[in-house]
């Protein structure tokens, strides 16, 4: 080759190298440090050396922190995990192009326009593995399935948008800018497609960015691309739709009568109760004046388990629990715990490794069974899921995968009132076979339908006890609040008014029996609600609160819930029928007999004496419960939800019989009259009734009838019998109880002559009757 030809060849090669470098030059991007996909550049030793020189000039990336790494030219946008991994995953010798000085204007016409927007952005790298070792299966919050995690969504959005032309990309971005106020103009148009996707995920989040991308593709008439993206990310979309449904259902907690414009967010007021793997019945043997009549076991603290870890329990052989049953006393907060569990999963605070959480409430299944079944009276389980979650009809293929980890929550088992045939119900082996809901429920619990599911069943013990034990892997029990939890709950409710919260908490602690009763979250809620209303009145709080009005409230709320839950009554249809009133009276009659026998438990045979139905007593009414440990003869044992509630029901029966029938059930005619009573009152007068109660109290050891006497005196207060119970247990416009002055004098005289150990309770009796502040 002659010298002239050789010089010309050298200049030609330099021009080709300049063109090649210009081709790979990128606009400003946080991904400018990514390695190029060109294999030719790796073969050129001279270019490797030049690339290494450029890399040496770049500052070293800072160690990752909780908020990512601050990268140059991205000051107005938070950093994603990919911004960090772009710097840290650069291979040695990779070409790094400094684009910080390049100013890209999408609206500037190029000399050569191509039909499609050409991008040479490399695929986003996989996230770097954290320094910490891979968490085990039982650790929280768990790890997402790869197809539901950020890298998968990122790659598919970026791949889809790469196929758009320049004009289509501009239309697509304009839709985002029009409907997403969180995106700024410079974030929309600065950088390339990789930067754009990065910012979408940063600002909108993974799920919202994905759904918005699909929607906006449809808006610009790119439905095939939208469908393709939807199919590629279907597992993530199904999870997101379930999360949205659970979030809508449980974000706001609905307590008592719903007030327009006033709502409490579950996250703000929730306090996790104690949950034990050792079921003892949930009844705590605490009492102000005496030990319990029957010994009650209490779970030890080492049996407690966290709410979000319930589904991570293991059987004795180390395999995961498939069917978990959780029970507790009425009012202990089972439904609220389910709501918190669902909310934590929906917001990815816990159990991220559970791909899908599907809630099929027994209450909803009961309504479907009775009112909305097709003419054939059969549905498959997948049709039922689609009925309740219409956006998730495509979830079926995932639920049938062997490795799919999903949870079915079925709460309120006691509200599914059908008698289930566990032995003879037909066996179903697939998810598409139509069957009656009763049969489907049996097969779900058997494990022949939704085989891969983990099943969480909740309900009152009297109801869930009918499930054969061979289908249950573990049983847990919600115990309620300890003292610190009670205080936390009351403080949480008044975060915006700490002074009121401090007053309520201090006032609440002045009544020890109420503090013990508030172990049930339901009672804690009632304390907060009642005291908030009371403190609206000037001067309230000087005297300690009275106990009887709270127990009247418990009775009324539980009876009204019974009508709503099990008899489909509306808010304006809660008038008590004769049967409802008779249930209360007969329960009180049984409670009095138990008090006289000094026992706190009863059996199914005992109910026949009072013409009471077992389901009404042990499940529906909310005042009694079944105990887990059977008696020595194998019979199921039942009791009231607390011993003080048994004493209250006994007092209510005595007062009701006196007011409605003018009958003194305490006058047996053979009682020994203590010397402290100067004369015997007329037994048909209210003073005579109280004197009979006093005689019984003094003729028994301390504590046996003392709390009963306090409740009976409290019911004499017009606030209780004329305001609270009027229209429910007693008819409207019924005359008030007279002769209260005579009762007051009787109590004052008794206090002066009574033994020292009885005086404090007698003073409480007088205060319960005479104090009027609620």
């Amino acid at each position: 080759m002659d010298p002239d030809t050789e010089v010309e060849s050298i200049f030609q090669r330099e021009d080709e190298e300049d063109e090649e470098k210009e081709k790979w030059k990128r606009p400003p991007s946080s991904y400018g440090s990514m390695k190029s996909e060109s294999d030719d550049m790796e073969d050129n030793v001279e270019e490797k050396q030049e690339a290494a020189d450029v890399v040496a000039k770049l500052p070293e990336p800072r160690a990752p922190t909780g908020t990512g790494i601050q990268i140059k030219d991205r000051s107005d946008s938070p950093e994603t995990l990919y911004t960090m991994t772009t710097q840290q995953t650069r291979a040695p010798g990779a070409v790094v192009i400094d684009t910080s000085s390049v100013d890209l204007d999408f609206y500037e016409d190029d000399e050569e326009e191509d039909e499609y927007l050409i991008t040479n952005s490399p695929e986003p790298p996989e996230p770097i593995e954290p320094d910490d070792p891979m968490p085990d299966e039982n650790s929280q919050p768990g790890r997402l399935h790869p197809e539901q995690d950020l890298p998968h969504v990122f790659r598919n959005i970026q791949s889809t948008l790469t196929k758009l032309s320049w004009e289509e990309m501009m239309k697509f971005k304009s839709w985002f800018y029009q409907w997403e106020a969180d995106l700024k103009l410079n974030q929309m148009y600065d950088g390339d497609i990789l930067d754009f996707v990065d910012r979408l995920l940063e600002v909108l989040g993974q799920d919202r960015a994905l759904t918005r991308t699909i929607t906006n593709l449809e808006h610009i008439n790119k439905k095939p691309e939208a469908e393709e993206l939807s199919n590629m990310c279907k597992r993530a979309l199904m999870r997101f739709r379930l999360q949205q449904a659970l979030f809508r259902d449980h974000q706001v907690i609905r307590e008592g009568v719903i007030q327009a414009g006033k709502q409490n967010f579950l996250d703000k007021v929730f306090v996790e109760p104690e949950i034990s793997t050792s079921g003892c019945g949930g009844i705590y043997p605490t009492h102000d004046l005496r030990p319990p009549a029957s010994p009650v076991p209490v779970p030890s603290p080492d049996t407690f388990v966290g709410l979000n870890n319930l589904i991570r329990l293991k059987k004795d052989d180390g395999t995961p629990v498939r069917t978990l049953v959780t029970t507790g006393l009425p009012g202990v907060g089972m439904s609220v715990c389910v709501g918190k569990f669902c909310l934590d999963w929906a917001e990815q605070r816990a159990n991220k490794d559970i791909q899908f959480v599907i809630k099929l409430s027994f209450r909803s299944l009961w309504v479907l069974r009775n009112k909305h079944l097709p003419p054939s009276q059969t549905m498959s389980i997948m049709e039922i899921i689609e009925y309740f979650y219409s956006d998730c009809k495509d979830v079926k293929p995932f639920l049938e995968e062997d490795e799919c980890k999903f949870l079915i929550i079925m709460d309120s088992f006691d509200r599914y009132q059908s008698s289930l045939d566990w032995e003879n119900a037909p066996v179903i082996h697939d998810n598409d076979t139509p069957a009656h809901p009763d049969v489907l429920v049996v097969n779900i619990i058997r494990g022949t339908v939704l085989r891969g599911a983990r099943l969480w069943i909740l309900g009152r013990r009297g109801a869930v006890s009918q499930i054969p034990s061979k289908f249950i892997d573990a049983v847990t029990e919600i115990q309620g609040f300890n003292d610190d939890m009670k205080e936390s709950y009351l403080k949480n409710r008044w975060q915006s008014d700490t002074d009121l919260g401090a007053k309520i908490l201090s006032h609440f602690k002045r009544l020890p029996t109420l503090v013990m009763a508030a172990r049930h979250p339901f009672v804690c809620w009632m304390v907060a609600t009642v005291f908030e209303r009371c403190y609206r009145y000037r001067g309230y709080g000087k005297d300690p609160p009275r106990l009887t009005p709270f127990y009247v409230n418990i009775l009324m709320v539980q009876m009204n819930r019974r009508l709503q839950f099990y008899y489909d009554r509306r808010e304006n249809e809660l008038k008590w029928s004769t049967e409802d009133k008779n249930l209360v009276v007969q329960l009180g009659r049984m409670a009095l007999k138990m008090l006289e026998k000094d026992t706190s438990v009863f059996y199914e045979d005992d109910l026949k004496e009072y013409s009471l139905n077992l389901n009404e007593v042990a499940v529906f009414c909310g005042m009694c419960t079944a105990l887990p440990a059977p008696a020595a003869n194998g019979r199921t044992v039942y009791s009231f939800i607390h011993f003080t509630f048994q004493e209250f029901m006994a007092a209510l029966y005595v007062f009701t019989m006196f007011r409605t029938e003018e009958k003194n059930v305490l006058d047996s005619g053979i009682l020994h009259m203590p010397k402290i009573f100067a004369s015997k009152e007329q037994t048909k007068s209210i003073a005579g009734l109280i004197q009979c109660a006093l005689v019984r109290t003094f003729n028994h050891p301390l504590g046996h009838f003392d709390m009963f006497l306090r409740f009976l005196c409290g019911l004499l207060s017009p606030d209780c019998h004329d305001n609270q119970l009027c229209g429910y247990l007693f008819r409207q416009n019924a005359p008030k109880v007279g002769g209260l002055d005579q009762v007051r004098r009787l109590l004052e005289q008794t206090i002066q002559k009574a033994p020292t150990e009885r005086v404090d309770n007698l003073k409480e009796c007088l205060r319960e009757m005479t104090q009027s502040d609620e």
Side-chain angles (χ1 to χ4, degrees):
M1 181 182 297
D2 59 51
D4 294 336
T5 305
E6 184 177 359
V7 172
E8 182 179 355
S9 175
I10 292 174
F11 280 104
Q12 184 177 358
R13 284 199 304 270
E14 289 177 354
D15 292 338
E16 289 174 355
E17 290 173 1
D18 291 338
E19 290 175 2
E20 184 68 18
K21 291 180 181 179
E22 186 66 24
K23 177 181 177 180
W24 289 101
K25 196 169 186 179
R26 303 179 63 234
S29 169
S30 63
Y31 297 92
S33 61
M34 283 188 176
K35 180 179 178 180
S36 171
E37 292 177 314
S38 174
D39 294 330
D40 295 334
M41 298 180 69
E42 296 181 0
D43 298 331
N44 192 304
V45 177
E46 182 178 353
E47 290 180 358
K48 285 185 179 179
Q49 182 61 42
E50 292 175 359
D53 294 339
V54 175
V55 172
K57 297 176 182 179
L58 290 176
E60 288 296 325
R62 286 178 287 177
T65 63
T67 58
I69 300 174
Q70 184 66 38
I71 303 299
K72 187 176 180 181
D73 298 327
R74 293 296 301 278
S75 58
D76 58 347
S77 176
E79 288 72 37
T80 64
L81 177 63
Y82 287 106
T83 305
M84 178 178 70
T85 56
T86 299
Q87 294 286 346
Q88 296 188 356
T89 58
R90 174 182 52 77
V95 174
V96 180
I97 303 173
D98 186 4
T99 59
S100 58
S101 62
V102 179
D103 186 16
L104 177 67
D105 188 354
F106 276 99
Y107 297 99
E108 183 177 320
D109 295 333
D110 296 327
E111 294 181 1
E112 295 181 5
E113 289 187 2
D114 293 328
E115 183 179 357
Y116 290 91
L117 179 64
I118 303 299
T119 176
N120 294 315
S121 301
E123 290 289 325
E126 296 290 342
I128 60 173
E129 292 294 329
D131 295 334
D132 297 333
M134 175 68 180
D136 60 38
E137 183 182 356
N138 288 323
S139 64
Q140 291 285 13
R143 177 165 292 190
L144 288 168
H145 186 277
E147 292 182 15
Q148 295 174 332
D149 209 350
L150 188 62
H152 181 79
V153 174
F154 192 114
R155 282 194 299 268
N156 283 281
I157 293 178
Q158 188 253 352
S159 175
T160 301
L161 297 185
T162 300
K163 301 174 185 177
L164 301 182
S165 68
W166 187 88
E167 284 131 357
E168 290 168 343
M169 193 65 187
M170 291 304 99
K171 290 181 182 179
F172 179 83
K173 290 185 175 182
S174 68
W175 274 101
F176 261 107
Y177 185 67
Q178 181 178 357
W179 294 107
E180 294 294 345
D182 295 333
L183 287 170
K184 300 177 182 179
L185 187 62
N186 64 327
Q187 292 177 324
M188 297 296 300
Y189 296 107
D190 286 353
D192 64 355
I193 290 179
L194 202 60
D195 291 296
F196 177 66
V197 177
D198 180 22
R199 292 183 180 111
L200 286 185
L201 294 168
E202 288 173 355
V203 178
L204 303 183
Q206 170 185 328
D207 299 318
R208 191 171 158 202
L210 176 60
T211 53
R212 264 299 176 199
T213 299
I214 295 173
T215 303
N216 289 346
L217 284 172
E218 293 173 348
H219 286 161
I220 64 173
N221 296 322
K222 302 297 288 183
K223 292 186 178 180
E225 287 78 1
E227 185 176 352
E228 180 184 1
L229 178 59
S230 178
N231 290 332
M232 293 298 295
C233 299
K234 185 171 292 184
R235 194 186 297 266
L237 282 173
M238 292 299 102
R239 180 187 181 106
F240 176 61
R241 290 167 184 170
L242 287 170
Q243 287 173 334
Q244 288 295 96
L246 294 175
F247 184 81
R248 288 193 301 267
D249 290 343
H250 300 294
Q251 180 189 19
V252 175
I253 182 172
R254 295 164 179 83
E255 304 169 304
V257 179
I258 306 300
Q259 300 180 28
K262 185 177 181 180
Q263 58 186 11
N264 285 318
F265 291 100
L266 179 57
D267 275 340
K268 291 187 176 180
V269 301
F270 181 80
V271 174
E272 184 174 320
E274 293 176 342
I275 305 175
S276 174
T277 56
S278 174
C280 298
I283 299 175
Y284 265 59
T286 51
H287 198 283
D288 256 0
L289 303 174
R290 60 171 296 184
S294 304
V296 178
V298 177
S300 61
D302 60 355
T303 64
F304 294 156
V305 60
L307 173 63
N308 285 318
N309 291 325
L310 284 175
I311 62 169
R312 299 177 181 272
L313 294 175
K314 293 186 180 296
K315 294 185 283 188
D316 293 338
D317 59 3
T319 58
V321 165
R322 192 263 175 186
T323 303
L324 169 71
V325 170
T326 298
T327 184
L329 294 178
V332 81
M334 284 182 283
S335 297
V336 179
C337 285
V338 168
K340 177 61 174 173
F341 181 96
C342 292
L343 200 60
D344 284 347
W345 179 81
E347 297 192 339
Q348 297 190 15
R349 292 193 290 255
N351 296 305
K352 292 164 63 175
D353 53 325
I354 301 295
Q355 296 180 37
F356 308 105
V357 171
I358 301 173
K359 182 183 175 186
L360 297 176
S361 170
F362 279 108
R363 182 189 72 83
S364 302
L365 289 174
W366 181 248
V367 174
L368 172 65
R369 174 191 186 275
N370 295 329
K371 297 182 179 180
H372 302 298
L373 280 180
S376 65
Q377 296 293 296
T378 61
M379 293 179 73
S380 70
I381 186 59
M382 295 312 304
E383 289 173 337
I384 289 179
I385 292 176
E386 184 178 344
Y387 177 84
F388 290 114
Y389 301 94
S390 57
D391 292 339
C392 299
K393 59 183 178 181
D394 295 329
V395 76
K396 178 179 180 292
F398 302 119
L399 301 186
E400 294 181 342
E401 293 177 356
D402 292 338
E403 301 301 322
C404 183
K405 192 175 180 180
F406 66 101
L407 174 68
I408 303 294
I409 301 178
M410 305 182 76
D411 65 330
S412 305
F413 184 78
D414 43 278
R415 297 180 71 173
Y416 197 87
Q417 301 176 43
S418 177
S419 179
L420 301 176
D421 190 348
W422 301 99
E423 298 297 330
N424 302 315
V427 179
I428 301 174
H429 291 288
D430 62 81
N431 299 332
D432 296 315
T433 301
H436 192 272
D438 291 358
V439 177
L440 286 178
V441 168
V442 171
N443 280 273
I444 291 172
I445 297 176
R446 282 175 176 169
T448 57
V449 170
L450 297 174
R451 289 177 176 271
R454 297 192 181 189
L455 185 62
W456 186 18
I457 299 173
L458 300 97
R460 297 179 180 179
R461 185 175 290 277
V464 299
S465 60
Q466 69 169 288
I467 302 176
S469 58
K470 62 182 178 181
F471 299 137
I472 300 174
D473 295 326
V475 177
T476 57
E477 185 175 72
I478 301 178
Q479 301 294 320
F481 289 161
N482 59 31
D483 290 341
D484 291 337
M485 294 172 182
K486 299 168 192 175
E487 187 169 335
S488 297
Y489 177 84
L490 293 176
K491 287 181 178 179
N492 286 354
R493 294 192 67 93
W494 310 115
Q495 294 178 15
S496 59
D497 191 347
T498 55
D499 290 341
L500 177 60
K503 290 179 181 178
I504 289 176
L505 184 60
S506 176
H507 195 52
F508 160 69
K509 290 181 177 180
R510 298 173 71 182
L511 194 57
T513 302
L514 185 59
V515 174
M516 289 188 297
R519 180 166 182 80
H520 303 303
F522 160 70
V523 178
C524 256
W525 163 76
M526 187 177 295
V527 166
T529 304
V530 171
F531 284 167
E532 178 195 17
R533 184 172 63 247
C534 291
Y535 269 103
R536 294 176 187 169
Y537 300 98
R538 182 178 300 176
Y540 179 78
K542 295 180 180 178
D543 300 313
R546 292 183 297 138
L547 187 63
T548 311
F550 276 98
Y551 277 69
V552 173
N553 274 326
I554 294 173
L555 169 68
M556 293 176 61
V557 171
Q558 296 290 39
M559 285 295 292
N560 288 341
R561 284 184 171 183
R562 164 183 169 270
L563 297 176
Q564 291 176 297
F565 291 176
Y566 307 107
Y567 296 97
D568 295 327
R569 300 279 186 88
R570 297 185 179 89
E571 288 283 352
N572 58 350
E573 299 175 342
L574 298 181
K575 184 178 180 180
W576 293 4
S577 65
T578 303
E579 291 77 13
D580 301 329
K581 297 176 183 178
N582 186 65
L583 172 64
V584 173
V585 171
Q586 292 304 316
L587 274 175
R589 180 184 166 206
M590 182 177 70
L592 179 61
K593 293 294 183 182
M594 292 168 61
L595 199 59
E596 292 173 342
K597 295 178 182 179
D598 196 21
T599 181
S600 59
V601 299
F602 60 91
Y603 304 92
E604 183 177 357
D605 295 341
D606 298 328
L607 300 178
K608 298 176 181 178
E609 181 182 349
Y610 308 99
S611 302
L612 291 171
N613 177 270
L614 178 62
N615 272 343
E616 284 284 359
V617 173
V619 181
F620 297 168
C621 75
M623 293 173 277
C624 301
T625 185
L627 298 179
N633 54 11
R635 293 189 299 171
T636 304
V637 184
Y638 303 90
S639 75
F640 285 88
I641 56 177
H642 194 268
F643 189 61
T644 55
F645 200 77
Q646 176 186 331
E647 295 169 307
F648 167 77
M649 292 299 295
L652 181 63
Y653 166 70
V654 171
F655 177 77
T656 301
M657 295 303 294
F658 181 84
R659 190 179 188 195
T660 57
E661 300 182 17
E662 297 183 354
K663 184 178 179 180
N664 184 348
V665 297
L666 299 179
D667 182 23
S668 60
I670 57 173
L671 291 176
H672 169 69
M673 179 72 69
K675 295 180 180 180
I676 62 172
F677 299 107
S679 62
K680 185 176 180 179
E681 300 286 347
Q682 293 292 325
T683 58
K684 290 187 178 181
S685 68
I686 190 63
L689 177 69
I690 297 301
Q691 189 178 55
C692 290
L694 285 166
V695 170
R696 287 207 177 205
T697 301
F698 281 94
N699 282 339
H700 286 81
L702 178 65
H704 195 137
F705 277 94
D706 293 77
M707 190 63 72
F708 162 82
L709 176 65
R710 188 188 301 184
F711 283 126
L712 183 59
C713 293
L715 288 167
L716 298 184
S717 170
D719 285 336
C720 290
H721 72 257
D722 194 53
N723 293 339
Q724 290 180 284
L725 291 170
C726 185
Y728 292 95
L729 189 58
F730 306 122
R731 62 182 176 84
Q732 294 280 3
N733 301 320
K736 295 181 181 180
V737 176
L740 296 185
D741 289 340
Q742 192 176 358
V743 175
R744 181 176 55 78
R745 288 193 297 269
L746 175 63
L747 288 173
E748 290 173 348
Q749 293 171 2
T750 307
I751 290 172
Q752 294 175 359
K753 301 178 182 179
T756 305
E757 66 272 12
R758 303 274 187 178
V759 171
D760 288 342
N761 187 64
L762 289 173
K763 289 180 179 179
E764 286 296 306
C765 293
L766 182 61
R767 189 177 67 83
E768 288 281 338
M769 185 185 74
T770 58
Q771 183 175 310
S772 178
D773 49 15
E774 276 107 358

